Amino acid sequence: MQQPMPVPAHRLAESAPEIGGDIDVLRDRLLRHARQALPDAATAEDLVQDTLVDVLEGAARHRGEASLRTWATAILKHKVADWYRSPARRHRVSLEAEDERLAQAVEGDFDEAGAWRGAIPTWQQPEQAEERRQMRGAIEACLDRLPLQTGRVFVLREWLGFGTDEIGSRLGLSADNVRQILHRARMALRGCMQQRWAGPRAPS
Amino acid sequence: MTLMPSCLEASRLLSRALDEPLGLLDQALLRVHLSMCRRCTEVERQLGSLGNLTRDVFEDDDLDDPVAAAASRPKPSSPDGA
């Protein structure tokens, strides 16, 4: 196994002085995204490494239309999509016990007749930057709490924009399976956001 | 009225409609249910915003600039099924 060459922080600092020492912050941010989208940590590390090399090589040409972080994230997104679309690879997922527990939790939201057990408080729309930051913090925490496989399927759908059929064919799942996983993911995220965002702020 | 979907079934249709076009019968059943169910109407709004929030997290939009944030937020390819 060939070790990937780490991107030296000082080289990035030279060609992209505006991020300079923030390379570690950027790497951590990209790794967080990559791990949520990919099946294993080693692949996530590889693609983030490739992304940082591209950022390093392109940084001199990159001038401000988007923040460097936004730009780096877009590069990573393409690499993740390419990785999934590579015909040489198969990426089967198996639904683990935790995903099954999530299914039971979701069914617990409904009574025997399939009606909502509890009230559905309205989510307050964030007005100020600080409120938007808080709401984003809430969704990040809720995404982190999703079971791994469920989270990956949701991220493939919402970040990479893969459709139901494409997710199914890339992961070896039936379309009905994918629909079920996306439904559970959304129900779990909704319930989590109700606790972390709507609940404490609901008027009654 | 056995055809009428429950809230659980409506939530499955709401989720599915975010990913692919619903058939005409499913669309009609969902619309009728939503017209009579405030909870599911609110859930429809919430499920839609989950996608936007998630993309915000991943696309790293600038939180201090809502105009730039809105402009750089791509909709994933999703046929209008709702």
Side-chain angles (χ1 to χ4, degrees):
Chain A
M1 278 289 286
Q2 193 186 348
Q3 283 291 105
M5 280 280 289
V7 176
H10 70 272
R11 276 191 61 203
L12 190 58
E14 280 164 18
S15 51
E18 72 271 25
I19 59 166
D22 288 345
I23 179 69
D24 289 336
V25 176
L26 178 63
R27 184 198 304 270
D28 286 351
R29 185 81 199 165
L30 295 175
L31 259 181
R32 186 187 162 91
H33 293 341
R35 284 197 177 130
Q36 275 177 318
L38 291 159
D40 63 278
T43 305
E45 299 262 357
D46 283 352
L47 295 192
V48 167
Q49 193 63 30
D50 288 353
T51 300
L52 289 172
V53 169
D54 283 6
V55 167
L56 174 63
E57 287 172 351
R61 278 176 283 116
H62 173 76
R63 285 290 171 261
E65 68 281 0
S67 80
L68 200 74
R69 217 165 78 155
T70 303
W71 183 53
T73 307
I75 294 174
L76 175 65
K77 178 178 174 178
H78 283 290
K79 289 190 186 297
V80 174
D82 285 349
W83 188 86
Y84 272 103
R85 287 173 172 150
S86 153
R89 298 198 186 88
R90 299 186 74 79
H91 323 281
R92 293 193 172 276
V93 302
S94 62
L95 291 179
E96 295 159 357
E98 54 182 351
D99 297 76
E100 288 304 317
R101 277 204 296 281
L102 180 65
Q104 288 173 6
V106 167
E107 298 205 342
D109 283 347
F110 301 92
D111 66 19
E112 308 74 36
W116 295 101
R117 278 188 199 280
I120 307 286
T122 307
W123 292 359
Q124 183 183 310
Q125 285 308 301
E127 307 272 329
Q128 311 298 322
E130 180 53 30
E131 284 179 338
R132 287 204 303 277
R133 205 168 281 120
Q134 285 172 8
M135 194 176 193
R136 183 179 295 187
I139 191 76
E140 282 194 75
C142 291
L143 284 167
D144 282 346
R145 287 179 53 186
L146 282 182
L148 283 178
Q149 309 285 8
T150 304
R152 263 179 72 206
V153 170
F154 184 71
V155 164
L156 288 184
R157 171 68 195 128
E158 298 292 0
W159 183 34
L160 300 187
F162 283 16
T164 307
D165 289 339
E166 174 154 36
I167 295 172
S169 65
R170 300 298 170 197
L171 299 184
L173 298 167
S174 72
D176 271 342
N177 239 236
V178 174
R179 291 182 189 114
Q180 190 178 53
I181 296 167
L182 287 170
H183 173 249
R184 288 174 188 168
R186 289 181 174 120
M187 291 294 107
L189 287 172
R190 196 208 67 77
C192 178
M193 286 297 283
Q194 178 161 310
Q195 285 185 342
R196 287 178 180 254
W197 176 252
R201 289 170 178 74
S204 60
Chain B
M1 289 299 284
T2 49
L3 265 181
M4 180 57 72
S6 66
C7 294
L8 172 59
E9 289 158 347
S11 75
R12 291 199 181 105
L13 292 174
L14 287 173
S15 174
R16 188 169 172 174
L18 291 169
D19 305 321
E20 56 194 305
L22 293 182
L24 289 179
L25 177 61
D26 282 340
Q27 271 185 55
L29 290 171
L30 181 58
R31 286 302 128 198
V32 173
H33 181 99
L34 290 176
S35 72
M36 304 187 313
C37 181
R38 286 170 127 193
R39 290 179 182 186
C40 286
T41 304
E42 179 58 29
V43 167
E44 177 181 36
R45 243 195 309 271
Q46 294 176 358
L47 296 191
S49 64
L50 284 178
N52 288 333
L53 286 166
T54 302
R55 280 186 290 285
D56 284 351
V57 166
F58 277 84
E59 308 286 345
D60 260 338
D61 291 337
D62 187 349
L63 277 171
D64 298 316
D65 184 353
V67 178
S72 64
R73 177 191 302 147
K75 288 274 296 175
S77 54
S78 107
D80 185 11

